[in-house]
Amino acid sequence: MADPLFRRIAFIGIGLIGSSLARVVRRDGLAGGIVACARSAATRETALRLGLCDEATEDPAAAVAGCDLVVLCTPLGAYEDIARRIGPHLQEGCIVSDVGSVKALMDRAVKPHLPPGVHMVPGHPVAGTENSGPESGFAELFEGHFTVLTPSAGTDEAAVRRIEALWRAAGSMVERMDAGHHDQVLAITSHVPHVIAYTIVGTATDLEDRLRSEVIKFAASGFRDFTRIAASDPVMWRDIFLNNKDAVLEMLGRLTEDIAGVQRAIRDGDGATLETLFTRTREIRRGVVAAGQHIAPAPPEDRHGED
Ligand code: NAP
């Protein structure tokens, strides 16, 4: 039998994303062994009970011993402390990767703590749901979605190829990108939409009682999709905004200017401007559908072909 892709993998954090990738590794026999690291005993027990790992520990330093791959799957705010703790225990040739939604952070917070001979290959699966924890994961989460890898120039090519193989096994389409470019693209495609959703749901929540109950009653008119996005994990999203500050502020600045333009067109009764804008945006939607990126991932039992 061929050797597995990795001898031993440590997942530091085993929530939605970590557990989904661990399920892929288990399903395809991609590692000789898996160790999971989580803070809470409940998460560790769940990971063991679900068979996601062979061992579970709360100590990141113990988790990485003897591993040839370490994947950070915690909120971004935990990265620096974890890197500091695991650095001295990483074996020569080990690959350190992650799944975080902001990529320049790996160079800032993780790289300085890695010893020579350890390869850093940051990654971001552009797939997810609004759920958290090891029970919410599923092996099919990444199928048909992009995973972006942001290795810096000079990173060991063999190490990058092994991480590409891992994500391809998960059903992802893999792209390489510069970390800063990734953070700009994601600021407009993911981070700013979350600002809008959190804000609009917050605004509705602050409305007087009578209006608020009507908002929930008539949610299907468009508000519903915002409530789904605004139900995303608060800690994860706090960390995304704290760690992609410049790109998010730049995109929010542009958005604010564009909203002022729409506001003016509505005030002036300028139907032509509104119609031109809405026709252009409809084209974008057609492009998203044509690229097959319009269907949100859902656990297999929940799939009704929703949009
Ligand atoms: P999650 O379901 O909340 O799981 C987070 C995991 O990290 C849990 O096992 C948690 O352990 C552990 N953890 C949290 N804080 C920690 C700390 N300070 N030290 C050590 N372990 C800690 O989160 P997730 O949705 O999988 O997100 C994980 C990463 O994936 C984030 O960086 C996020 O940016 C990225 N990502 C998320 C999505 C998405 O849609 N959710 C999509 C793409 C990428 P306990 O349970 O013991 O606290």
Side-chain angles (χ1 to χ4, degrees), residues 107-290:
D107 271 326
R108 285 200 304 269
V110 174
K111 188 91 181 261
H113 301 286
L114 304 185
V118 167
H119 313 295
M120 189 175 87
V121 184
H124 175 209
V126 187
T129 74
E130 65 278 21
N131 302 318
S132 306
E135 277 172 309
S136 62
F138 51 102
E140 299 81 6
L141 175 63
F142 312 110
E143 281 175 10
H145 292 271
F146 285 101
T147 292
V148 181
L149 302 183
T150 62
S152 47
T155 305
D156 181 65
E157 183 57 27
V160 182
R161 293 238 164 120
R162 285 171 81 196
I163 299 300
E164 279 180 349
L166 174 65
W167 285 109
R168 291 221 170 89
S172 266
M173 298 161 303
V174 181
E175 289 239 338
R176 295 190 195 188
M177 212 183 264
D178 167 76
H181 185 69
H182 165 281
D183 293 352
Q184 281 193 327
V185 172
L186 270 290
I188 192 65
T189 56
S190 169
H191 307 168
V192 166
H194 277 78
V195 173
I196 295 168
Y198 281 124
T199 311
I200 198 166
V201 174
T203 304
T205 309
D206 293 340
L207 291 172
E208 58 183 272
D209 282 352
R210 188 182 53 78
L211 265 181
R212 191 166 49 220
S213 64
E214 313 275 68
V215 165
I216 292 171
K217 188 168 159 192
F218 293 106
S221 54
F223 189 65
R224 179 182 52 198
D225 290 345
F226 287 119
T227 62
R228 185 181 57 75
I229 298 173
S232 301
D233 190 86
V235 172
M236 168 181 151
W237 281 96
R238 176 201 68 193
D239 287 357
I240 287 174
F241 294 121
L242 294 179
N243 288 289
N244 198 22
K245 190 171 159 178
D246 293 345
V248 170
L249 290 179
E250 160 71 17
M251 297 304 171
L252 270 179
R254 287 171 184 240
L255 178 74
T256 316
E257 285 171 25
D258 291 345
I259 286 179
V262 173
Q263 212 172 355
R264 170 159 307 206
I266 294 172
R267 182 181 299 111
D268 294 349
D270 179 358
T273 296
L274 295 176
E275 202 179 324
T276 304
L277 173 66
F278 303 160
T279 305
R280 271 175 49 214
T281 55
R282 201 175 219 197
E283 285 306 310
I284 292 275
R285 170 70 186 173
R286 289 189 177 132
V288 170
V289 173

Side-chain angles (χ1 to χ4, degrees), residues 70-81:
V70 174
V71 193
L72 306 184
C73 303
T74 66
L76 302 169
Y79 275 27
E80 181 143 30
D81 180 54

